[in-house]
Amino acid sequence: MDSPRFIGAEIFRHSSYGRWHPLRVPRVSTVMDLSRALGWLSKAQFITAPRAKPKALMAWHTPDYVAALQRVEASQVATAEDLARHDLGSVTNPVYPEIFRRPATAAGGSLLAGELLREGGVIYNPPGGTHHGMPDRANGFCYLNDPVLAMLSLRRNGVRRIAYVDIDAHHCDGVAEGFHGDPDCLMISVHEERLWPRTGPLEDDAGGAALNLPVPRRLNDSEMAFIRDALIVPQVEAFRPDAIVLLCGADGVEEDPLAHLSLSNNAHWAVVSALMGMAPRLLVLGGGGYNPWSVGRLWTGVWATLNGHAIPERLPADAEAVLRALTFEGNKRGKNPPEHWFTTLRDAPRDGPVRDAIKDRVGILSRRTEARPRHRAYLIP
């Protein structure tokens, strides 16, 4: 591929998990609209995500669970057994009109990305990033696990060594289950400590496949830069992957209502930039992000970074209109949004001291990998 490709779909424009659910807000459609308003998304770069067929989803999900999703969508009713066995119809994973079609479309984009990256390239699939989904149940707003499906698709298309980097505020428990103990997968997760799902402690290496870095609240840009340069980049470089999958969740920014970190969107873009060119294949997925302005601005900036577009100091009128049309009902952050949420993409940097706890944890992970023969072997041509 000569230029990065963007995978999206119109199903995400009006589909919602419900009036009061955190995923009531538009996200993917905002990124599509902003990117087009800025002249950054040509027809040649855009790919409409296909809806994954049930059989394709069964590469990781159980047939009974896939069938349950389809049945619940058709009837719009989850039985007591659906709730008990698959967590369908819970407060977290509610029944809504597109309960199968929406996640199957996100998964279809990730499965397609694995095929398109066979010969190399860069693909951005912001609908993807549902990293909590489990083989037989929904989990944490995630009905399917498209990162796992994407990585399995890469494997089917000749890719062996995959570095999976996850900077969502929540730990990637579903991906950790999917690739536990896989010697050809390096998982790096930077997530808020003691935040749901409360998995991924420092000592958990997922059978030797993972580096889990739980970080304290109020993580700032300087701390993320330290983590990027002292942990993420050197570990990925040493692993020498055939492909990198980056889950770029937007819930780590200060304005997000579900986490307690203090990053600006600059921190995420810097991680994207650092990983570009480190492998012949790069797949960037969305993930969390529950403030419509911050997630739309951050993910549009990811697309700009992948294409080398300069971030304008002030948005043109058409792009500003996209952001002014957003609402955030039922959350105090939506009552008086600051003007720069409408007029800019870039946040003001949120730098600060790098706390000793973060330095110590990064040091522990670095020493742990130095002691492993398989990591040293990555340095041998």
Side-chain angles (χ1 to χ4, degrees), residues 9-19 21-29 73 76 94-105 143:
E10 285 297 315
I11 192 173
F12 301 101
R13 186 174 299 280
H14 302 296
S15 173
S16 168
Y17 281 35
R19 186 176 180 185
H21 194 281
L23 277 176
R24 66 189 178 276
V25 300
R27 306 187 314 160
V28 176
S29 58
E73 178 172 291
Q76 288 296 289
V95 176
Y96 67 99
E98 304 85 12
I99 190 173
F100 173 74
R101 284 172 291 162
R102 173 173 168 153
T105 302
Y143 296 85

Side-chain angles (χ1 to χ4, degrees), residues 262-309:
S262 297
L263 298 173
S264 77
N265 54 26
N266 297 279
H268 293 68
W269 301 341
V271 172
V272 174
S273 181
L275 292 175
M276 291 173 62
M278 294 190 70
R281 303 164 186 84
L282 173 62
L283 171 60
V284 181
L285 305 173
Y290 308 97
N291 176 319
W293 292 285
S294 61
V295 69
R297 292 165 67 243
L298 190 154
W299 285 356
T300 302
V302 168
W303 181 237
T305 303
L306 293 172
N307 285 275
H309 297 312

Side-chain angles (χ1 to χ4, degrees), residues 41-101:
L41 186 55
S42 68
K43 290 183 178 179
Q45 285 184 283
F46 184 79
I47 299 171
T48 298
R51 187 190 310 166
K53 295 181 179 179
K55 185 176 180 180
L57 299 173
M58 294 173 199
W60 197 59
H61 293 283
T62 65
D64 285 351
Y65 177 51
V66 174
L69 277 173
Q70 294 176 283
R71 174 174 46 75
V72 170
E73 178 172 291
S75 67
Q76 288 296 289
V77 174
T79 66
E81 183 180 359
D82 293 328
L83 178 61
R85 181 176 175 184
H86 305 301
D87 204 42
L88 297 177
S90 65
V91 174
T92 305
N93 308 302
V95 176
Y96 67 99
E98 304 85 12
I99 190 173
F100 173 74
R101 284 172 291 162

Side-chain angles (χ1 to χ4, degrees), residues 1 5 7 112-113 116-117 121-125 282-284 306:
M1 285 177 283
R5 306 294 291 274
I7 297 179
L112 177 61
L116 295 175
L117 288 171
V122 176
I123 292 182
Y124 184 33
N125 182 30
L282 173 62
L283 171 60
V284 181
L306 293 172

Side-chain angles (χ1 to χ4, degrees), residues 74-258:
S75 67
Q76 288 296 289
V77 174
T79 66
E81 183 180 359
D82 293 328
L83 178 61
R85 181 176 175 184
H86 305 301
D87 204 42
L88 297 177
S90 65
V91 174
T92 305
N93 308 302
V95 176
Y96 67 99
E98 304 85 12
I99 190 173
F100 173 74
R101 284 172 291 162
R102 173 173 168 153
T105 302
S110 288
L111 287 162
L112 177 61
E115 298 174 12
L116 295 175
L117 288 171
R118 175 191 289 269
E119 303 302 327
V122 176
I123 292 182
Y124 184 33
N125 182 30
T130 52
H131 57 175
H132 299 304
M134 294 295 177
D136 198 43
R137 63 182 172 87
N139 186 42
F141 313 164
C142 303
Y143 296 85
L144 299 170
N145 196 310
D146 75 275
V148 168
L149 292 168
M151 293 159 75
L152 293 175
S153 179
L154 284 166
R155 288 270 175 84
R156 288 194 298 273
N157 285 279
V159 174
R160 184 167 66 95
R161 302 168 71 75
I162 301 173
Y164 173 80
V165 180
D166 193 317
I167 57 173
D168 192 284
H170 302 80
H171 177 247
C172 51
D173 52 343
V175 180
E177 177 165 327
F179 287 86
H180 187 279
D182 188 326
D184 289 320
C185 180
L186 170 67
M187 292 182 282
I188 302 175
S189 178
V190 182
H191 50 274
E192 182 181 330
E193 63 182 352
R194 292 189 290 276
L195 186 66
W196 189 95
R198 299 180 182 86
T199 53
L202 189 70
E203 60 272 16
D204 178 12
D205 68 355
L211 298 172
N212 281 307
L213 180 62
V215 296
R217 292 185 175 195
R218 301 183 304 280
L219 183 77
N220 63 51
D221 287 2
S222 301
E223 291 172 321
M224 181 58 93
F226 174 78
I227 293 166
R228 180 195 69 218
D229 295 340
L231 181 70
I232 295 174
V233 169
Q235 292 294 333
V236 172
E237 186 176 40
F239 187 71
R240 298 172 68 175
D242 301 316
I244 296 171
V245 177
L246 170 63
L247 194 143
C248 201
D251 45 7
V253 297
E254 191 169 76
E255 299 87 358
D256 193 87
L258 295 192

